[in-house]
């Protein structure tokens, strides 16, 4: 936390938020990495692409539920 | 020109303008004009995020790319949505706490630096202009089939209507236009997807005209003439007209090529595993398509004449990455610059969303951080739903039989036309509103940068509330005029491709500065300014020197480009971070807090 700011000015993601953010970054990176190694088969490509979008929505909903004031 | 189409289109435009006029009295102060008094309800703001973000690139560009190249267009959908994770978890709440009207407000909160104010404003203006180009191109692409006017009329129409929206009621009218547009877009895309699944897939074996050298000679046409170094033959038919045929995989097979004038409506399935399907389930749609053969059309030019030739593509090839020229390198073995290009694009999409000024200023329109979080979640849910639907819309367009092979941007409206003219008119009008919503957000961001960041904060002009709003409106008109000019200039480029550039520039110039200003206590004003300027200069320079720009803008050979791949983010984002760290550590200054730093 920057010393010059009040404690609540720049709140980085913590706890569950950090976990969700880190997990999503890993999944997104894995998707890109897998395509760089070898293009996915049709079924895998569709499932993983749709899965990444659905997971983003799920993670956002979890965060909204967890991150009360 | 269909009167019903014109009536629906005019109804949308007049409703939008009427709403702006009605809301005009709520935006007379700077607080109202730039941030809608921070009183927008989180649910409305969430859908307004969708209205702001789901631009012509998302609706027209991605659907068009999927319709022409299958899964490759969907990679953009995945990247665009993933970027919202950065916005939600990292940027949203601190930004709300630290800013007031503009992106530069949040950057400068700790430093009170004129340099940051100016650099933030320049970055906002450039990114907004880059993002405006594809929106205006999309407007021009829509207006031609919808109303029969040429491209530049569509660009002018959007420019004038949007400028009126912004000038009338600033962020208040912009928010409501975006809310209505976002909700309509998601709802009608869901309806279209339902119709695609209900119709199922239809086999059209006659989609491609086949022949053989023996058959052609039997028709009594002139002897075949092979085109040197290309798999085509020329034939003069019974009426004396020139025909071009493509030689198939088997030398005895010939496939008839067509000019754009002959080929108005394409997009067929040549072969299905068990004939016509009838209604399909959401997953069954992909399973059937996976086992089918689709007819796509590619462009070739011989002796100055452009024509299209059919490409029979297995569905399993359509549903995996690497079919388009942009991503074809993914199917190569080992290292290739095309793979680096793909990685760089996906990085730009991931990092770009949270650094787009017109998205960031929407965080100032709600009351508090709780509303910020809730509205972002509503935004992610609605935007995510839309992006899932893009795969169905694009593949539906690919197989709808109404595709125009010469205009990828019209795939989604033409898909609607394959169901009914009324739906075509409605979808086209919604697509037009899509452009209005996004462009109004971009012009708001740009006008705020001029009036608030540059005039009031950087130049220190003592402006009353009224004068500041008036200056912002004048800036909105100027930005609108520039956007119209650029929309005419770049009319032949795919809008999704153009938005990729805007994401690269935003991610390189804004994200490192924003993250470090928010979370790194040793960041200095000079470091922030240097990071923004280096990010801007290097990403813009890289794009201007890239193979894509060489071939698609300058008309030169892509191989002549001095940089090895086209998407700069993988180089310019880290470079911007490094510059910020080095400049900050080398020139530490005491942190000066602005007088109003306490929230």
């Amino acid at each position: 936390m920057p010393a010059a700011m009040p404690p609540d000015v720049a709140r980085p993601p913590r706890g569950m938020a950090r976990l969700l953010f880190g997990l999503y970054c890993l999944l997104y990176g894995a998707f890109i990495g897998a395509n760089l190694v070898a293009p996915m088969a049709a079924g895998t490509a569709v499932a993983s692409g749709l899965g990444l979008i659905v997971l983003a929505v799920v993670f956002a909903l979890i965060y909204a539920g967890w991150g009360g004031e | 020109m269909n009167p019903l189409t014109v009536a629906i289109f005019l109804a949308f435009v007049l409703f939008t303008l009427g709403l702006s006029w009605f809301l005009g009295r709520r935006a007379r102060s700077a607080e109202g004009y730039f941030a809608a008094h921070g009183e927008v309800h989180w649910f409305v703001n969430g859908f307004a995020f969708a209205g702001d973000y789901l631009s012509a690139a998302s609706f027209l560009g991605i659907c068009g790319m999927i319709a022409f190249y299958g899964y490759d267009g969907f990679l953009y959908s995945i990247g665009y949505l993933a970027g919202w994770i950065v916005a939600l978890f990292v940027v949203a709440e601190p930004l709300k706490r630290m800013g007031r009207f503009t992106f530069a407000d949040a950057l400068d909160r700790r430093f009170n630096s004129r340099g940051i104010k100016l650099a933030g404003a320049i970055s906002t203006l450039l990114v907004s202009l880059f993002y405006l180009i594809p929106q205006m191109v999309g407007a021009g692409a829509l207006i031609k089939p919808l109303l029969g006017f040429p491209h530049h009329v569509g660009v002018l129409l959007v420019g004038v209507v949007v400028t009126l929206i912004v000038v009338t009621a600033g962020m208040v009218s912009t928010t409501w236009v975006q809310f209505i547009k976002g909700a309509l877009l998601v709802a009608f895309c869901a309806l279209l997807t339902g119709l695609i699944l209900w119709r199922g897939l239809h086999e059209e074996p006659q989609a491609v005209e086949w022949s053989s050298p023996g058959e052609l000679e039997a028709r009594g046409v002139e002897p075949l003439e092979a085109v040197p170094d290309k798999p085509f033959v020329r034939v003069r038919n019974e009426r004396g007209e020139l025909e071009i045929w493509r030689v198939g995989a088997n030398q005895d097979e010939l496939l008839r090529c067509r000019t754009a004038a002959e080929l108005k409506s394409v997009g067929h399935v040549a072969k299905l595993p068990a004939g016509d399907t009838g209604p399909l389930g959401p997953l069954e749609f992909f399973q059937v398509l996976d086992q089918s053969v689709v007819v796509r059309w590619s462009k070739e030019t011989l002796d100055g004449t452009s024509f299209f030739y059919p490409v029979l593509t297995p569905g399993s090839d359509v549903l995996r990455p690497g079919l388009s020229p942009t991503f074809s390198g993914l199917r190569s073995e080992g290292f290739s610059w095309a793979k680096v290009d793909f990685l760089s694009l996906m990085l730009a999409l991931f990092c770009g969303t949270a650094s787009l000024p017109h998205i960031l200023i929407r965080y100032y329109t709600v009351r508090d951080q709780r509303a910020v979080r809730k509205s972002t979640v509503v935004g992610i849910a609605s935007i995510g739903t839309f992006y899932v639907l893009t795969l169905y819309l694009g593949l539906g367009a690919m197989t709808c039989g109404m595709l125009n092979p010469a205009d990828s941007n019209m795939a989604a409206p033409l898909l609607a036309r394959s169901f009914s003219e009324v739906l075509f008119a409605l979808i086209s009008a919604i697509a037009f509103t899509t452009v209005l919503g996004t462009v109004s957000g971009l012009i708001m961001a740009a006008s705020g940068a001029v009036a608030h960041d540059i005039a009031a904060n950087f130049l220190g002009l003592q402006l009353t509330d009224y004068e500041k709003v008036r200056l912002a409106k004048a800036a909105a008109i100027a930005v609108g005029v520039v956007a119209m000019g650029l929309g005419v200039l770049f009319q032949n480029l795919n809008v999704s491709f153009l938005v990729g550039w805007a994401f690269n520039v935003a991610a390189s110039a804004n994200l490192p500065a924003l993250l470090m200003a928010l979370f790194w206590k040793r960041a200095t004003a000079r470091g922030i300014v240097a990071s923004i300027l280096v990010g801007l200069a290097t990403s813009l320079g890289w794009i201007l020197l890239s193979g894509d720009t060489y071939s698609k803008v300058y008309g030169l050979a892509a191989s002549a480009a001095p940089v090895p791949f086209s998407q700069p983010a993988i180089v310019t984002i880290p470079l911007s971070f490094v510059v910020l760290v080095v400049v900050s550590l080398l020139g530490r200054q005491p942190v000066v807090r602005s007088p109003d730093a306490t929230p």
Side-chain angles (χ1 to χ4, degrees), chain B residues 35-123:
Chain B
H37 298 287
E39 289 174 351
V40 176
H41 189 272
W42 57 266
F43 184 79
V44 173
N45 204 51
F47 266 95
F49 269 129
D52 212 354
Y53 193 67
L54 298 179
S55 63
S58 293
F59 186 46
L60 302 179
I62 290 179
C63 290
M65 200 166 173
I66 295 174
F68 278 60
Y69 300 112
Y71 189 87
D72 284 359
F74 190 55
L75 289 170
Y76 281 93
S77 294
I78 296 165
Y80 284 143
L81 188 75
W84 277 94
I85 288 293
V86 182
L88 174 66
F89 288 122
V90 185
V91 169
E93 292 164 64
L95 193 90
K96 169 67 182 168
R97 284 174 171 153
M98 295 181 75
R100 188 177 172 212
F101 295 154
T102 63
F103 158 70
D105 278 347
L107 273 186
D108 192 39
R109 185 63 176 265
R110 280 170 56 197
F111 305 101
N112 195 22
S113 152
R114 291 177 75 223
I116 291 181
K117 292 175 177 92
L118 183 63
I122 290 171
S123 174

Side-chain angles (χ1 to χ4, degrees), chain A residues 2 4-5 8-13 21 28 31-32 35-36 39-40 42 45 49-50 53 60-61 63-64 67 69, chain B residues 71 78-79 81-82 85 89 93 97-98 110 290 319-321 330 339 343 346 370 373 377 384 388 518-519 521 593:
Chain A
M5 276 186 270
D8 61 341
V9 167
R11 186 171 68 84
F21 179 66
Y28 187 71
F31 173 78
I32 295 170
N35 274 302
L36 288 174
M40 293 171 169
L50 291 175
I53 292 178
L61 289 170
Y63 181 59
E69 296 298 289
Chain B
Y71 189 87
I78 296 165
L81 188 75
I85 288 293
F89 288 122
E93 292 164 64
R97 284 174 171 153
M98 295 181 75
R110 280 170 56 197
D290 184 47
L319 292 174
R320 63 197 286 257
L330 285 176
K339 290 186 176 182
L343 178 59
M346 296 307 278
R370 183 175 180 162
R373 187 162 51 242
V377 172
V388 168
L518 292 176
F519 301 118
K521 64 182 178 183
R593 291 179 57 194

